[in-house]
Amino acid sequence: MRAFLIRNFLQRLLLLFFVSVIAHAMVHIAPGEPSEVDPANPRMKPEDIAKIRAAFHLDEPLHLQYVYWMRDLFTGELKSFKDSQPVLPKIAGRFVNSLPIFICATLIVWTLAFPTGIHAAVRRGSFYDRGSTFVAYSLISIPGFFLAYLVILWVVQQFGIPVIGMRTFGASEAQPWLRFMDRIWHLVIPSLMSALVGIAVLSRYVRSQMVDVLQQEYVRTARAKGLDNDTVIYRHALRNALLPFITMFGLMLPALIGGSVIFEQIFAWPGIGRLGYEAILARDFPLVLTINFIAAVLTLAGTFLSDVMYAMADPRIRLS
Amino acid sequence: MACLWDDYTKHLSQTYLFVYAGALNPFISTEKMILKRLLLLVPAVLLVILLQSVLWVPGYESQAKGNPKRLLQFVEGSIGDAKLLNPILNADSASARIVSLVFEGLLKLDENLQLSPNLAQEWSVSEQIYLTVNPNAAFPDGSTVNGAELEKRLTDFFSAAETNEGSIQTIRRIKPGQRTQTITLDTGESVSVSVELTIRIPEVIQIDLNSVDEDFSKKISSVLGDDYEENLPRAEWISIDKPGLKNKVSRRLDEFVPVIEHNPVITFQLRDDVVFHDGHTFDSSDVLFTYESIMNPRNLSPRTSDFEPIKAVEIINDHAVRVVYKRLFSPAVNAWVMGILPEHLLNAEALQAEMGSRGISGEARESFAMRNSAFNRNPIGTGQFVFRSWEGDELIHLGANENYWGRVPQYENYYYRVLPDGLAREMEFRAGALDVYRPEPHQVDRFRDKFTYQTFSSLSMGYTYIGYNNRKTLFADKRVRQALGMALNNEEIIDYVLYGEGERTTGPYPKNTLWYDHDVAPISYDPQAAIAILNSMGWEKNADGWLEKDGEIFEFNLITNNGNALRKAVLTIAQNAWQKIGVRVNTQLFEWAVFLEDFINPGKFDAVILGWQMGPDPDLYQLWHSSQSGFGQLNFVGFNNPKADALIERIRRTYDLELQKSLTHELHAMITEEQPYTFLYAPLGTRVLDKKIVMLEDDDAYAPVQSAPSGDLYYYFDRWRKLEHVPIF
C-alpha cells in the first residue's frame, strides 16, 4: 500500500511537470500578444513595448521563461501582466468569491439528484420516469447560458429586482440584516442554474446505476427477506451503486478552481472562472499559467483521492 | 514488510467503513427512511432559505428600501475596467471617465463646446516674433540690411496709424545666445546618426504683439523687400559636431534658421482658491510639473504629441503661467483641458519616498517611473469628486469633494461598475442597480415609457465610413469613388441598421461643431448615374453581369473588424448594392488586432469599413495630410491632395474664429468632392436615465434633467439627484 502511494505520488508529480511544460509552451506559441505589449495598441510606442517586453522576459528563450515562471510562482513573486499585482492573492480572493455558489450548487445537486434518480429507477417506465427523463434531457440540451438569460430576463422584468453581481448595488448602507439577505438572494439564481444542470446530469447517472443494481440477485434476496422498500433501496442497493459517484466526487476538486466561466460572465460574478477567462483574452500569461497549474494539481489530487477511496469502498479492487 | 502494510491498510479501511456504517446505523437500522428524508430535507431547507431572501431585496420602484442614502448615489456601468487613473497616462475610455471626475484642467469645454475658464480664471493669447537679420539682403531702396536700421524701419513702419492696430507692443534688437539642437540623420543603408548642431544667429529682431498675427510676414514685406529671404548666410551660423556630415545637413538649413519664427504665447491666470484632495494648495508649479511629466520620455505619455509644439512653460508667479509655443498652432490651446497632476505627490522626491516605503530596490529602482507609482491606483486631483476606492475589475468608488472651489455635487457618492455583459447592464438598469444605460439602436424602443424612463439622444462626435485605398489604380480617380458612393442607399442603412438612430454625414468634421458645413450636399442615391459614370470611364457590363474593362472585372475586397454588428451589416448591404451595379465585392471580417496589424497599418487593403471618434478642434492633420500616410499612421487611405494639404496647414496657423470657420468649410467641401471615403453616418448616442433623477435649479427647485446644447448629457451632472418617487412637474 505504501509503495503504491509513493509510486503514484511520484508519477503524478512527473505528470504535473509535463502538464506545466506543455501548458507553458502552448500559451506562448498561441497567436496574440499580451495586450500590454500588443503592437496593435495605438497608444504604445515601440520603445515602450520593448521595455515592457524586457520586464516580462517575453523575448527570452522559452525554457528560460518557464524557469522564471516556476521560480516566481514558488517564491510568491509572480505578478500579473495587467496590473503588476501578485498572482496568488488575486486567485485566492476570487476563489473565495466562487466558493458560495459552488457549495450551494454542490449541496443541492448531491442531495436532490439521488432521490430523483432513484425514484425514476424504481418506477421505471412510469409517468414520473418518462417525465423526469424528458425534463433532464431538455435541461442538458438547452445551453446553460441561454437558460440563464431567459431566467434573468423573466425575473427582472416580472419583479424588477436585481439579479446580477454578488450584491445589489447601492445597498451598502442599508441595515446589516437587509444586506445579508441581499447577498443570499444574489446567490440564488447562479446556484440554482448550476444546480439544475448538475441535477439533470447526475440524476441520469443515478438512475442508470440504480437500474443496473436493482436487477441484481441480492436485491431480490433482500426483498425476499421481508425488508421494506426503503431499506432495500437506500441501504443495500444504493451502496453498491455508489462506486462511479465516488470517482465523480474526487473530480469535484478541480471543479473548485474551474469555477463556471459562462455563469460568472453572465452574472458578473467576480469569481475564478471569469478571472481565468479574462486573463486568457488579455494573454496575461502568469495568471493563465498559474490557474492552469493549480487546476492540474487539483485534478491530479482529486483523481488520486478517487482512486484511493474507490479501493477502500470496493474490496474487489486491489491497489497494486 | 510490504504485505504486512497491505494487511494493515486493508484492516484499517474495513474498520473505517465499519465505523462509518456503524455511525449511520442508528439512522438506517432504527429509522430506515432517514437517509431518504435527509436527501430531500437538506435541499428543501436550503432552497427555502435561499428563496425567502427575495422578500428583502430592493427593486426598481423601491430602490431606497431601508436605505435613503441610495438616492444620493449615482451608479454607472461600463464594459471594461479602468487601467490607469492618471490624466497624462491613461489610454482607455473607462480611465478617461474617472479621470474627468477626479482631475480638472486649466480650461474646460462649455455647453457649446467653446473653451472656457476652469482652473485658469482667464487666459490671453499674445505672440513673440523673431525676425532674423539678413546681412546679405538689401532693403527695397538698395541699402544693406543691418540690425539697427531694420529695427528703426520697422518701428517707423508700425508707428504709422494705418498699419498698427495697437497690437504691436515692443520692437527691439537682440543678440540671441547660441543654441544647440540634436537631430538624427539618415546616412544611407538604413543607418541613422545623431548629430548636434550649434546655431549662432548674430542678430534677431524680437517683436512682441498682444495677439497672434499669422500674416505678419506679408505686412512687413514692404519694409523688407521681396528678396529678403534669399542668401541668408545660414551655413556660417551653424556648426556641426561631426563635420563630415555637414553636406547632409546643408539641404535642410532653413529648418534650423527660419527667417521669421512665430512664438505664440498663452498667459494663464490661475485661481488661488483651489486645493487638491489632500489639502495641498494648487499653484503654477503643478502646471509646470504636468507639462514636464508629459514630455518626460520615461513616462511614456500618449499625450506627448499634443504638447510637442510647446517651447517652454514659465512660472510668472504662484498663480500665473506663461506658455510659449515654437510655431503657429491654433489647436494648441485645446490641449489645456488636460488634468493637472499634483507635483508634491509625483515629483522625484515623492517617487523616491515611495520606492523606499514599498521596499523597491536594485534593478527595479532604475526603471521605476510615474507609470509604476501607486498614485495611478489612488489618484489625488482637484476635481468635483474625490477618489475613495478601487476593487479591481469590479468597482471604482468616488465621493463628492466637500472642499471644491466651485459647485459641490449633489451626489454624495459615485460608483463605476464593471459589467462587461450588455444584457447584465440592461438588467441592472431595469432593476434599479444602475442609474444610466446606453441602449443599442434596436433597444431604444423599449424605453419609451415616459413615466419610468427619460431618454436623451445626441449626435456623438464620431462617424462611420467606407475608406478606399486611394493609392490603388482602381480607386485613384475620384469619379470611381463618387460612383461607388452613389450606388449605396445611405438612408436605408440609417433606417434599418441603425433603427433611425443616426444622421447622414457628408464630411470629415463632427456635425455638431462649427467646422461642419451644413450646406454641403450629400451624395445622392442614384445607381443608374453611377453605372453611367463607370461606363464613361470604360467599364462595360460583360456577359456575367459584371463591369469589365481591358479584360478585368471590377472586383475588390471590402473588410472590417469583427465584434461590431453594425459594421457587419453595412458590409453585406454594401456588397449587395454594388453587385446590383455590376461591381464584384468580396467581404471578410478580421479580429481587431489582426485587422490593424495586417491591413490598416501597412496600407494593404482595398476598402474598409471603419469609424472615427473626433475631437472638437478643427485640426485634421493626422487624418488627411499627405505626410501622414506612412506605416501605422492615420491617413491610411493615402489621401493626397496638395490643395487640401495647404488648407490643413493654414487652418493650424489660424487663430481667428471666423477665418477658421470659412477655411474649415472650404476643406469640408473639398474633401466631400474628392470622396476619399464614402461618408456613411454619424450615430446618435442614446442614454436612458431613471425618471426619478432630477436637476436642482439655482432657486433650489427641481427640474427635469437637461443635456447641454452640445449634446453632453453630463454637463450639469453636479446638479443631479434622485428622488424617491417619480416627480410631477
Side-chain angles (χ1 to χ4, degrees):
Chain A
M1 183 65 171
R2 184 178 63 177
F4 165 77
L5 286 174
I6 294 175
R7 197 176 52 240
N8 210 305
F9 180 71
L10 289 175
Q11 272 174 352
R12 281 166 200 272
L13 220 56
L14 193 64
L15 194 59
L16 187 62
F17 173 70
F18 278 126
V19 166
S20 68
V21 168
I22 292 173
H24 186 261
M26 265 172 39
V27 161
H28 280 273
I29 290 172
E33 299 286 342
S35 46
E36 277 63 37
V37 293
D38 194 346
N41 185 341
R43 289 295 188 184
M44 299 297 278
K45 299 195 210 26
E47 311 90 65
D48 321 334
I49 292 184
K51 238 178 151 177
I52 298 182
R53 284 187 78 94
F56 291 158
H57 308 295
L58 282 174
D59 291 316
E60 312 236 12
L62 217 54
H63 59 274
L64 263 184
Q65 290 191 50
Y66 178 80
V67 169
Y68 288 137
W69 168 46
M70 278 288 151
R71 179 198 67 192
D72 290 337
L73 180 63
F74 286 108
T75 54
E77 281 275 313
L78 191 61
K79 297 216 174 27
S80 148
F81 283 172
K82 178 169 161 196
D83 49 13
S84 304
Q85 304 297 314
V87 160
L88 289 173
K90 241 189 182 180
I91 295 182
R94 297 294 205 112
F95 173 73
V96 166
N97 287 344
S98 280
L99 212 52
I101 299 188
F102 180 77
I103 291 177
C104 276
T106 308
L107 261 179
I108 296 179
V109 167
W110 284 77
T111 48
L112 264 187
F114 286 96
T116 45
I118 289 169
H119 200 236
V122 165
R123 305 224 187 289
R124 221 172 78 183
S126 70
F127 175 72
Y128 175 83
D129 182 28
R130 289 201 298 252
S132 68
T133 308
F134 176 76
V135 169
Y137 279 124
S138 324
L139 284 174
I140 296 173
S141 319
I142 297 178
F145 59 86
F146 182 68
L147 200 57
Y149 278 134
L150 286 180
V151 169
I152 294 174
L153 278 173
W154 176 69
V155 170
V156 173
Q157 281 175 342
Q158 264 315 102
F159 306 107
I161 48 177
V163 168
I164 311 283
M166 276 178 69
R167 58 189 97 88
T168 296
F169 216 75
S172 50
E173 287 173 68
Q175 300 136 25
W177 173 247
L178 288 177
R179 288 207 306 268
F180 180 67
M181 280 294 137
D182 183 50
R183 294 197 69 142
I184 294 198
W185 165 249
H186 278 267
L187 263 187
V188 173
I189 309 278
S191 328
L192 285 187
M193 296 308 312
S194 308
L196 260 179
V197 180
I199 293 177
V201 170
L202 202 60
S203 65
R204 291 290 91 205
Y205 279 120
V206 170
R207 180 192 177 278
S208 77
Q209 280 295 109
M210 285 305 291
V211 162
D212 274 342
V213 163
L214 287 172
Q215 287 168 348
Q216 300 295 321
E217 292 288 331
Y218 56 84
V219 171
R220 201 136 53 105
T221 314
R223 281 197 213 278
K225 271 163 56 173
L227 295 172
D228 67 272
N229 213 19
D230 275 342
T231 314
V232 171
I233 295 172
Y234 282 89
R235 185 173 177 201
H236 296 287
L238 183 59
R239 285 209 203 162
N240 291 288
L242 274 182
L243 287 173
F245 299 106
I246 294 179
T247 318
M248 287 168 99
F249 197 79
L251 284 172
M252 275 211 309
L253 215 49
L256 273 176
I257 196 87
S260 174
V261 177
I262 296 175
F263 285 131
E264 285 177 11
Q265 192 76 5
I266 295 173
F267 290 96
W269 196 273
I272 195 108
R274 210 173 113 194
L275 181 68
Y277 173 66
E278 280 166 5
I280 292 174
L281 285 183
R283 314 284 196 280
D284 191 350
F285 296 151
L287 206 50
V288 173
L289 289 170
T290 308
I291 293 180
N292 184 278
F293 185 78
I294 296 179
V297 166
L298 288 176
T299 309
L300 292 170
T303 48
F304 183 61
L305 200 66
S306 294
D307 283 347
V308 170
M309 277 175 27
Y310 205 81
M312 279 166 52
D314 189 344
R316 296 172 294 176
I317 309 286
R318 297 274 84 210
L319 291 175
S320 58
Chain B
M1 253 337 239
C3 48
L4 260 179
W5 177 257
D6 280 340
D7 282 344
Y8 172 70
T9 48
K10 188 165 74 181
H11 180 75
L12 205 61
S13 59
Q14 281 174 344
T15 315
Y16 273 131
L17 276 175
F18 185 75
V19 168
Y20 171 70
L24 275 184
N25 246 345
F27 295 115
I28 292 176
S29 51
T30 54
E31 291 285 332
K32 299 140 199 152
M33 295 210 281
I34 288 278
L35 181 61
K36 178 178 179 182
R37 287 229 177 106
L38 213 64
L39 286 177
L40 288 171
L41 201 64
V42 167
V45 166
L46 192 57
L47 280 171
V48 164
I49 296 177
L50 290 177
L51 290 173
Q52 60 81 38
S53 59
V54 72
L55 301 168
W56 307 93
V57 176
Y60 187 81
E61 303 300 328
S62 58
Q63 287 171 36
K65 187 190 252 188
N67 179 20
K69 290 273 183 190
R70 171 73 183 91
L71 301 176
L72 292 174
Q73 292 171 354
F74 188 78
V75 186
E76 195 172 335
S78 155
I79 291 184
D81 195 16
K83 299 235 175 77
L84 286 168
L85 296 181
N86 187 320
I88 76 168
L89 298 179
N90 80 70
D92 62 287
S93 52
S95 306
R97 176 76 179 120
I98 303 293
V99 159
S100 69
L101 292 167
V102 176
F103 292 93
E104 38 183 14
L106 295 184
L107 305 173
K108 71 169 194 246
L109 292 174
D110 72 7
E111 61 263 22
N112 294 310
L113 292 180
Q114 300 302 306
L115 284 172
S116 73
N118 201 25
L119 287 180
Q121 52 193 26
E122 58 181 13
W123 76 101
S124 54
V125 181
S126 56
E127 190 177 17
Q128 280 178 323
I129 293 182
Y130 298 99
L131 174 63
T132 309
V133 175
N134 183 359
N136 291 349
F139 288 117
D141 65 6
S143 51
T144 341
V145 170
N146 67 58
E149 188 55 30
L150 190 50
E151 183 186 357
K152 181 175 168 304
R153 289 193 185 208
L154 284 171
T155 317
D156 293 339
F157 179 73
F158 283 110
S159 304
E162 316 87 62
T163 44
N164 182 9
E165 296 112 29
S167 63
I168 308 285
Q169 287 190 320
T170 58
I171 300 176
R172 64 171 189 273
R173 204 166 26 126
I174 59 172
K175 289 191 189 312
Q178 68 185 34
R179 68 166 204 273
T180 54
Q181 198 171 334
T182 319
I183 56 161
T184 35
L185 287 181
D186 201 1
T187 53
E189 300 133 38
S190 320
V191 175
S192 3
V193 171
S194 174
V195 296
E196 196 178 76
L197 302 171
T198 313
I199 301 157
R200 255 200 66 250
I201 305 174
E203 258 191 324
V204 158
I205 308 287
Q206 179 182 321
I207 303 128
D208 290 340
L209 302 94
N210 50 20
S211 63
V212 175
D213 190 351
E214 57 259 34
D215 299 317
F216 188 77
S217 44
K218 264 195 256 168
K219 282 208 181 110
I220 59 170
S221 56
S222 56
V223 177
L224 297 179
D226 293 324
D227 0 304
Y228 186 81
E229 311 212 352
E230 279 153 54
N231 300 320
L232 205 61
R234 292 183 170 104
E236 290 168 28
W237 297 339
I238 301 180
S239 54
I240 184 171
D241 65 344
K242 298 190 176 74
L245 294 170
K246 184 136 190 188
N247 42 355
K248 285 231 183 278
V249 186
S250 56
R251 267 173 271 133
R252 295 167 52 182
L253 288 179
D254 39 355
E255 259 178 67
F256 311 114
V257 185
V259 174
I260 286 190
E261 192 182 321
H262 286 262
N263 279 171
V265 175
I266 307 183
T267 311
F268 292 103
Q269 295 295 330
L270 306 177
R271 295 188 75 99
D272 55 6
D273 55 352
V274 180
V275 157
F276 281 100
H277 297 151
D278 62 351
H280 189 101
T281 321
F282 161 75
D283 59 27
S284 41
S285 60
D286 298 305
V287 178
L288 177 62
F289 176 73
T290 304
Y291 164 71
E292 285 171 347
S293 307
I294 292 173
M295 301 310 290
N296 185 346
R298 274 174 67 96
N299 290 335
L300 308 171
S301 167
R303 309 275 181 284
T304 312
S305 57
D306 292 334
F307 287 82
E308 181 273 333
I310 294 181
K311 195 175 192 178
V313 172
E314 295 154 19
I315 295 183
I316 301 173
N317 59 48
D318 267 350
H319 298 289
V321 178
R322 200 159 162 273
V323 184
V324 183
Y325 289 86
K326 296 175 189 162
R327 64 187 90 95
L328 288 175
F329 186 65
S330 55
V333 68
N334 287 287
W336 289 104
V337 299
M338 160 76 46
I340 302 293
L341 292 171
E343 187 223 351
H344 64 288
L345 293 175
L346 288 169
N347 58 15
E349 293 88 64
L351 289 181
Q352 286 285 331
E354 187 180 341
M355 280 196 262
S357 66
R358 278 168 67 177
I360 294 175
S361 55
E363 231 183 75
R365 261 199 121 91
E366 312 276 318
S367 55
F368 192 86
M370 194 189 282
R371 239 173 222 272
N372 311 95
S373 169
F375 179 86
N376 301 324
R377 293 195 72 90
N378 200 327
I380 305 261
T382 60
Q384 283 183 310
F385 286 91
V386 178
F387 175 85
R388 295 245 191 270
S389 67
W390 181 359
E391 281 154 61
D393 262 333
E394 225 191 308
L395 182 65
I396 297 178
H397 175 201
L398 307 177
N401 181 1
E402 301 296 324
N403 300 319
Y404 188 61
W405 55 268
R407 175 189 290 274
V408 176
Q410 289 287 306
Y411 277 122
E412 286 174 8
N413 288 290
Y414 172 92
Y415 293 97
Y416 194 72
R417 296 180 62 187
V418 182
L419 293 169
D421 186 37
L423 185 83
R425 287 196 301 276
E426 191 188 345
M427 290 300 110
E428 286 293 85
F429 175 70
R430 281 183 186 276
L434 271 186
D435 291 323
V436 60
Y437 176 63
R438 306 175 80 126
E440 299 285 316
H442 66 278
Q443 297 174 333
V444 172
D445 234 9
R446 294 181 202 167
F447 297 98
R448 294 247 179 264
D449 178 358
K450 293 218 184 310
F451 295 109
T452 329
Y453 309 111
Q454 36 187 341
T455 38
F456 298 88
S457 252
S458 63
L459 270 179
S460 68
M461 295 223 268
Y463 61 88
T464 303
Y465 61 92
I466 299 179
Y468 306 104
N469 194 340
N470 289 215
R471 305 177 198 86
K472 296 218 160 175
T473 29
L474 191 59
F475 298 119
D477 191 325
K478 73 176 181 195
R479 287 177 293 169
V480 171
R481 306 193 291 261
Q482 285 170 345
L484 288 173
M486 280 199 257
L488 279 182
N489 191 339
N490 226 324
E491 301 304 327
E492 266 188 1
I493 292 179
I494 295 174
D495 286 337
Y496 295 114
V497 176
L498 294 181
Y499 289 78
E501 298 289 314
E503 279 182 30
R504 189 78 197 273
T505 179
T506 58
Y509 287 109
K511 268 186 114 163
N512 47 1
T513 56
L514 299 170
W515 325 124
Y516 184 90
D517 189 354
H518 294 267
D519 294 329
V520 171
I523 300 263
S524 55
Y525 172 58
D526 196 345
Q528 296 310 316
I531 297 178
I533 292 177
L534 291 172
N535 285 343
S536 76
M537 290 179 68
W539 294 98
E540 297 294 336
K541 230 176 198 149
N542 67 9
D544 296 323
W546 302 117
L547 286 175
E548 194 179 321
K549 176 165 131 177
D550 302 330
E552 283 199 16
I553 47 175
F554 198 136
E555 184 177 359
F556 63 90
N557 297 330
L558 178 66
I559 58 177
T560 190
N561 62 296
N562 64 11
N564 190 322
L566 300 174
R567 287 184 196 165
K568 196 171 162 189
V570 174
L571 205 63
T572 317
I573 293 173
Q575 184 186 37
N576 188 40
W578 285 330
Q579 185 204 24
K580 292 205 186 110
I581 64 165
V583 172
R584 185 160 167 180
V585 172
N586 310 308
T587 61
Q588 205 170 350
L589 292 167
F590 294 100
E591 196 248 320
W592 181 247
V594 170
F595 184 58
L596 285 185
E597 220 175 292
D598 294 350
F599 299 97
I600 298 292
N601 287 345
K604 291 199 174 103
F605 61 92
D606 294 332
V608 293
I609 302 179
L610 269 181
W612 287 120
Q613 196 62 29
M614 307 292 297
D617 66 277
D619 184 30
L620 292 183
Y621 188 80
Q622 284 181 302
L623 261 60
W624 295 104
H625 196 270
S626 57
S627 68
Q628 301 293 305
S629 301
F631 184 91
Q633 292 186 307
L634 301 183
N635 185 358
F636 54 81
V637 293
F639 179 65
N640 190 337
N641 183 315
K643 291 228 279 269
D645 281 352
L647 254 183
I648 291 171
E649 286 161 16
R650 180 124 185 256
I651 291 172
R652 279 185 137 192
R653 294 194 307 263
T654 305
Y655 282 72
D656 176 56
L657 186 65
E658 288 307 313
L659 189 56
Q660 276 179 333
K661 282 206 292 206
S662 72
L663 290 174
T664 51
H665 287 193
E666 200 184 321
L667 183 62
H668 177 173
M670 197 183 288
I671 291 181
T672 307
E673 171 64 24
E674 291 291 312
Q675 285 281 298
Y677 298 164
T678 294
F679 293 91
L680 292 175
Y681 57 82
L684 277 178
T686 305
R687 268 165 293 193
V688 187
L689 290 178
D690 189 334
K691 188 76 176 176
K692 304 197 268 304
I693 296 181
V694 295
M695 212 163 83
L696 201 68
E697 301 262 275
D698 288 325
D699 55 359
D700 279 353
Y702 292 133
V705 171
Q706 275 179 329
S707 54
S710 65
D712 182 6
L713 176 61
Y714 292 105
Y715 190 74
Y716 299 109
F717 185 60
D718 50 20
R719 294 170 186 258
W720 292 10
R721 62 158 292 155
K722 185 179 276 191
L723 300 176
E724 208 169 327
H725 304 287
V726 177
I728 304 168
F729 291 110

